[in-house]
């Protein structure tokens, strides 16, 4: 099992393919292997070296400690890129992973040749604050929801109406969510819930100079397209793509459309 050490933190990673490197940064509590179902095969088939990893707090990487910040995760990602790639590469992030990549583009632009930000935002709003606070409360008060109820709520929150209306697809997702129900006693994951956009960062993102693609999902309740459009408008020269019939987990719901947008952007083809 391969690990890379960044500072005092051990990060588990996997890589496939050869060619120019693409480092994929996962969202809150998500394992790096979530990229391997759809995005890694597409990248490898297109001639790229795909590198996925588990953020600290997601086993088998080291646990996250209280007080974790986005700057900590940026340092982890930058260190991993330096050690595994040895220079600049392409970066892809979703949700919290997009937040990490956005901040890395400010502090370590020397490590990025292109960036894809999926299900991202540049500022908080009332709903995102409420949702983040509710997630933290579940952990802090050790409220373990019944697995079936939690699965149903996560389906509504993260999937598109089209998926919810597909009998087989929604049952498959409910089974996955129920099997992967969060353990609110897991202290290693809890600090990731504090890594959130607490202030409006759109102004500082105007300093980003890396060629960037922002992808929003049309039915995303967590990071709605209006936030993605704001983010793209703030980053000079950024391209924007919106994937229909997709929720917050759009890269898993509509992988063909997402992969096509990423590969077209990497290749310099008009979107």
């Amino acid at each position: 099992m391969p690990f890379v050490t960044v500072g005092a933190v051990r990060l588990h990673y996997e890589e496939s393919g050869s060619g120019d490197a693409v480092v994929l940064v996962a969202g809150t509590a998500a394992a790096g292997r979530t990229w391997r179902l759809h995005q890694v095969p597409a990248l490898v088939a297109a001639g790229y070296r795909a590198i996925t990893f588990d953020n600290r707090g997601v086993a088998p990487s080291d646990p996250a400690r209280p007080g974790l910040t986005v700057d900590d995760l940026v340092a982890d990602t930058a260190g991993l890129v330096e050690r595994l790639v040895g220079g600049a590469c392409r970066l892809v992030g979703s949700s919290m992973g997009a937040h990490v990549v956005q901040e890395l583009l400010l502090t370590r632009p020397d490590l990025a040749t292109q960036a894809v930000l999926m299900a991202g935002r540049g500022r908080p709003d009332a709903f995102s604050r409420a949702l983040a606070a509710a997630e933290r409360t579940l952990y802090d008060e050790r409220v373990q929801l019944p697995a079936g109820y939690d699965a149903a709520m996560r389906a509504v929150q993260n999937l598109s109406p089209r998926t919810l209306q597909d009998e087989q697809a929604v049952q498959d997702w409910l089974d996955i969510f129920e099997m992967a129900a969060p353990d609110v006693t897991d202290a290693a994951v809890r600090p990731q819930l504090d890594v959130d956009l607490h202030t409006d960062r759109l102004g500082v993102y105007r300093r980003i100079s890396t060629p960037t693609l922002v992808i929003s999902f049309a039915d995303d309740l967590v990071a709605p397209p209006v936030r993605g459009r704001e983010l793209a408008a703030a980053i000079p020269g950024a391209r924007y793509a919106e994937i229909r019939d997709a929720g917050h987990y759009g890269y898993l719901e509509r992988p063909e459309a997402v992969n096509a947008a990423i590969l077209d952007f990497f290749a310099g083809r008009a979107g």
Side-chain angles (χ1 to χ4, degrees), residues 173-198:
W173 276 103
L174 289 170
D175 291 343
I176 291 169
F177 287 140
E178 189 161 349
M179 287 188 294
D183 178 3
V184 297
T185 66
D186 187 354
V189 171
R190 170 61 180 86
Q192 282 197 8
L193 300 180
D194 288 324
V195 180
D196 196 17
L197 269 169
H198 302 292

Side-chain angles (χ1 to χ4, degrees), residues 15-22 43-50:
E15 56 183 318
S16 303
S18 59
D20 292 344
V22 181
L43 289 166
V44 171
Y48 294 101
R49 173 190 174 201

Side-chain angles (χ1 to χ4, degrees), residues 122-158:
R123 67 177 179 91
D125 54 28
F127 181 70
S128 69
R129 288 192 179 100
L131 184 60
E135 291 278 354
R136 290 192 292 268
T137 298
L138 289 178
Y139 274 78
D140 293 343
E141 298 186 5
R142 301 292 193 268
V143 179
Q144 190 71 58
L145 298 173
Y149 178 83
D150 180 80
M153 291 302 97
R154 290 188 182 277
V156 170
Q157 178 180 313
N158 293 293

Side-chain angles (χ1 to χ4, degrees), residues 18-254:
S18 59
D20 292 344
V22 181
V23 173
L24 300 104
V25 188
T28 305
R33 66 176 178 272
T34 59
W35 298 108
R36 303 190 69 81
L37 184 61
H38 299 296
Q39 281 67 51
V40 168
L43 289 166
V44 171
Y48 294 101
R49 173 190 174 201
I51 301 173
T52 63
F53 68 102
D54 298 312
N55 288 304
R56 66 168 96 175
V58 177
S61 288
D62 282 351
R65 304 298 182 191
L68 184 72
T69 68
V70 70
D71 291 339
D72 295 326
L73 297 182
V74 168
D76 290 350
T77 303
L80 179 139
V81 170
E82 289 176 326
R83 285 158 179 74
L84 298 184
V85 181
C89 68
R90 293 173 170 89
L91 295 165
V92 177
S94 180
S95 194
M96 184 189 76
H99 184 194
V100 172
V101 173
Q102 290 157 205
E103 297 296 327
L104 185 147
L105 297 180
L106 289 172
T107 60
R108 294 298 308 272
D110 58 302
L111 294 180
T113 56
Q114 291 179 300
V116 178
L117 311 174
M118 292 193 289
R121 58 173 63 240
R123 67 177 179 91
D125 54 28
F127 181 70
S128 69
R129 288 192 179 100
L131 184 60
E135 291 278 354
R136 290 192 292 268
T137 298
L138 289 178
Y139 274 78
D140 293 343
E141 298 186 5
R142 301 292 193 268
V143 179
Q144 190 71 58
L145 298 173
Y149 178 83
D150 180 80
M153 291 302 97
R154 290 188 182 277
V156 170
Q157 178 180 313
N158 293 293
L159 303 176
S160 70
R162 178 178 178 177
T163 298
L164 296 178
Q165 293 163 15
D166 183 321
E167 293 283 336
Q168 186 58 58
V170 75
Q171 188 58 61
D172 290 343
W173 276 103
L174 289 170
D175 291 343
I176 291 169
F177 287 140
E178 189 161 349
M179 287 188 294
D183 178 3
V184 297
T185 66
D186 187 354
V189 171
R190 170 61 180 86
Q192 282 197 8
L193 300 180
D194 288 324
V195 180
D196 196 17
L197 269 169
H198 302 292
T199 60
D200 188 332
R201 299 286 287 168
L202 292 172
V204 295
Y205 289 158
R206 299 189 191 284
R207 302 203 307 264
I208 292 175
S209 58
T210 304
T212 300
L213 169 66
V214 175
I215 297 177
S216 289
F217 304 118
D219 301 321
D220 191 344
L221 300 178
V222 179
V226 64
R227 300 291 166 251
R229 290 191 289 270
E230 286 179 343
L231 180 59
I235 299 172
R239 286 170 49 179
Y240 176 76
E242 191 169 308
I243 308 298
R244 63 181 179 83
D245 296 326
H248 195 61
Y249 289 169
Y251 67 107
L252 299 174
E253 279 187 283
R254 297 286 313 282

